[in-house]
């Protein structure tokens, strides 16, 4: 017998901590963004004005799936609408059901949403990985009378890591391949010391995050171009610094942090702030000293990370969905992303949005 439990208060989710952690471990290609500590962190800093709607799928008395959702107001070309969506907000490239039964989770969640009163204009599941979803979200909606439209979303740029670093280099242009090798030689000649902070969870031995290391990276970011950035997305910006810091602590405790540093003459010259899980590394933020250009710290950092990740047995390095022109020389694959939308027929604004989306994406709309 199946049952859907909806939780609207973040503090009430503590009762399901064990089940959440168990299901994350069962989720293929899970990320830090699908953990309960991340959702709690996200809600602490960005939950204002939104309604939490976490759907827990209980089958025969056991929690077998979780679908975290958030109801939030958004300004669109059609006007201000209320959207029910995943709580990722663009912090990562992909999101989806948690657990080993995504089909059942989506099916039962959509069944539940189709019969309760609607307080939203549009159900918009974004950041869907089509390789993992395989049409599940769209089919689950349609099974319960929620007509849907599948549209493209922001792609992410990745490096599928081969077995050896030489194999990776062989896929790069001769000029860039020579540049990478030259930079790595300079790394040795200049005695640049690389370190990768990737603590592992051990039973009965909780991880104590390296707060001093993180603060050193923030200080570097503040002293670099990031200190003057107005985007509000850097680890040193007033509006997001506390969020990134808490993510570092929580990911460290879960054994999902991956912080790489380069030091020259005992001085930090570059850092790369990432998350990792199940062999996948998700690049989040990178920074380097502006007065070390002769060392090419950006190229040095990327080359070292790729080589070290291959030696560690990682399988993928995700560089994120932005700045394609910068990442083009490094990546070997672009992964598409989708959104699956259902527009409430009771909402005039949703109808206008549906028509607008259909017209814009009429050659790809499903």
């Amino acid at each position: 017998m199946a049952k859907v439990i909806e939780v609207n208060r973040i503090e009430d989710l503590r009762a399901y901590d064990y089940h959440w952690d168990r299901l994350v471990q069962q989720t293929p290609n899970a990320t830090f963004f699908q953990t309960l500590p991340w959702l709690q962190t996200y809600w602490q800093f960005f939950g204002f004005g939104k309604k939490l709607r976490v759907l827990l799928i209980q089958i025969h008395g056991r929690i077998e799936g979780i679908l975290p959702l958030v109801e939030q107001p958004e300004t669109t070309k059609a006007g201000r609408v209320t959207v029910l969506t995943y709580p990722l907000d663009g912090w990562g490239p992909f999101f989806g059901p948690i657990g080993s039964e995504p089909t059942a989770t989506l099916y039962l969640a959509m069944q539940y949403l189709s019969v309760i009163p609607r307080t939203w204009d549009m159900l918009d599941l974004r950041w869907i990985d089509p390789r993992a979803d395989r049409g599940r979200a769209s089919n689950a909606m349609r099974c319960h009378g929620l007509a849907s439209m599948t549209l493209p979303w922001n792609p992410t740029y990745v490096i599928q890591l081969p077995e050896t670093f030489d194999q990776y280099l062989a896929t790069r242009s001769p000029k860039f391949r020579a540049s990478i090798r030259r930079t790595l030689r300079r790394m040795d000649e200049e005695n640049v010391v690389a370190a990768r902070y990737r603590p592992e969870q051990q039973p009965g031995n909780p991880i104590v995050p390296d707060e001093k290391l993180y603060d050193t990276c923030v200080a570097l970011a503040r002293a670099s171009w990031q200190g003057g950035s107005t985007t509000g997305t850097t680890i040193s910006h007033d509006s997001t610094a506390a969020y990134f810091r808490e993510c570092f602590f929580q990911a460290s405790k879960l054994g999902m942090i991956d912080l790489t540093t380069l030091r020259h003459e005992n001085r930090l010259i570059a850092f790369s702030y990432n998350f990792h899980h199940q062999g996948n590394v998700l690049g989040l933020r990178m920074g380097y000293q502006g007065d070390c250009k002769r060392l090419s710290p950006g190229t040095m950092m990327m080359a070292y990370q790729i080589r070290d990740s291959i030696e560690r047995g990682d399988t993928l390095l995700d560089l994120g969905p932005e700045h394609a022109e910068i990442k083009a020389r490094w990546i070997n694959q672009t992964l598409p992303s989708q959104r699956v939308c259902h527009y409430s027929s009771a909402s005039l604004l949703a109808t206008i949005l549906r028509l607008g989306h259909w017209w814009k994406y009429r050659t790809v709309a499903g």
Side-chain angles (χ1 to χ4, degrees):
M1 185 174 184
K3 176 183 178 182
V4 176
I5 303 169
E6 179 172 347
V7 178
N8 304 123
R9 288 160 36 97
I10 195 71
E11 53 269 29
D12 292 342
L13 289 174
R14 294 172 186 163
Y16 301 96
D17 180 68
Y18 166 78
H19 301 285
W20 199 302
D21 182 64
R22 171 177 59 84
L23 291 172
V24 166
Q25 300 308 318
Q26 298 174 7
T27 305
N29 297 316
T31 71
F32 173 61
F33 300 107
Q34 289 172 293
T35 67
L36 180 54
W38 178 78
L39 182 61
Q40 292 167 328
T41 301
Y42 165 80
W43 202 252
Q44 175 187 351
F45 293 101
F46 305 114
F48 180 77
K50 304 174 183 180
K51 180 180 180 181
L52 186 67
R53 302 192 65 176
V54 175
L55 306 184
L56 304 170
I57 310 304
Q58 187 180 74
I59 301 176
H60 300 304
R62 180 179 170 89
I63 303 297
E64 297 291 358
I66 303 173
L67 195 71
L69 298 172
V70 61
E71 195 173 290
Q72 61 190 27
E74 294 186 6
T75 301
T76 70
K77 291 183 178 180
R80 196 163 178 80
V81 298
T82 300
V83 178
L84 183 62
T85 186
Y86 288 136
L88 188 59
D89 266 1
W91 292 110
F94 295 120
F95 203 87
I98 299 167
S100 61
E101 302 292 339
T103 301
T105 298
L106 283 164
Y107 181 89
L108 293 168
M110 294 306 112
Q111 181 183 59
Y112 172 79
L113 292 173
S114 70
V115 298
I116 63 173
R118 297 185 190 179
T119 55
W120 40 267
D121 299 294
M122 181 169 65
L123 172 59
D124 188 357
L125 300 183
R126 306 160 181 167
W127 306 287
I128 292 176
D129 182 350
R131 301 168 306 161
D133 181 70
R134 292 184 289 181
R136 289 189 182 98
S138 177
N139 291 336
M141 289 186 190
R142 291 176 177 174
C143 281
H144 301 294
L146 302 173
S148 67
M149 189 181 297
T150 301
L151 305 172
W153 196 239
N154 302 322
T156 189
Y157 307 105
V158 307
I159 302 171
Q160 293 281 354
L161 299 172
E163 292 184 0
T164 70
F165 188 55
D166 284 340
Q167 287 176 337
Y168 170 76
L169 289 177
T171 66
R172 303 300 91 190
S173 69
K175 182 178 179 181
F176 189 47
R177 183 163 61 241
S179 175
I180 293 174
R181 286 176 170 154
R182 185 168 54 250
T183 301
L184 289 175
R185 283 198 303 270
R186 187 182 301 123
M187 183 177 177
D188 293 333
E189 293 165 357
E190 297 280 352
N191 294 318
V192 175
V193 178
R196 203 153 190 178
Y197 178 68
R198 193 189 274 198
E200 296 183 8
Q201 277 189 317
Q202 296 179 359
N205 187 20
I207 296 171
V208 179
D210 192 335
E211 184 175 2
K212 183 178 179 181
L213 174 64
Y214 183 74
D215 287 344
T216 304
C217 294
V218 174
L220 186 155
R222 190 172 290 117
S224 71
W225 64 268
Q226 296 184 44
S229 173
T230 59
T231 62
T233 59
T234 64
I235 69 170
S236 60
H237 195 277
D238 289 344
S239 64
T240 50
Y243 162 75
F244 279 118
R245 183 184 180 84
E246 186 62 22
C247 282
F248 170 79
F249 289 154
Q250 296 301 333
S252 294
K253 292 174 183 177
L254 292 172
M256 299 175 81
I257 199 67
D258 180 278
L259 184 62
T260 305
T261 56
L262 299 180
R263 294 180 184 273
H264 182 242
E265 297 178 349
N266 293 321
R267 178 192 181 209
L268 183 69
I269 62 169
F271 73 86
S272 182
Y273 175 6
N274 317 305
F275 299 134
H276 82 96
H277 187 55
Q278 298 176 342
N280 293 341
V281 180
L282 175 58
L284 205 65
R285 296 294 183 271
M286 184 183 290
Y288 51 85
Q289 294 284 3
D291 60 359
C292 294
K293 289 185 178 180
R294 72 176 186 85
L295 294 175
S296 302
T299 301
M300 189 178 291
M301 173 63 78
M302 279 298 303
Y304 169 78
Q305 280 192 131
I306 294 169
R307 185 178 65 183
D308 186 67
S309 285
I310 290 172
E311 291 173 353
R312 289 171 180 265
D314 294 333
T315 56
L316 181 140
L317 177 55
D318 191 329
L319 303 183
E322 299 176 343
H323 307 298
E325 68 286 354
I326 298 174
K327 300 168 183 175
R329 61 180 184 167
W330 294 101
I331 67 170
N332 52 25
Q333 192 170 357
T334 299
L335 300 182
S337 179
Q338 295 177 338
R339 66 192 294 191
V340 178
C341 306
H342 166 74
Y343 310 83
S344 173
S345 59
S347 168
L348 176 60
L349 292 179
T351 300
I352 295 172
L353 275 176
R354 179 178 62 80
L355 292 173
H357 286 167
W358 176 84
W359 179 256
K360 181 178 180 179
Y361 300 106
R362 57 192 180 278
T363 60
V364 295

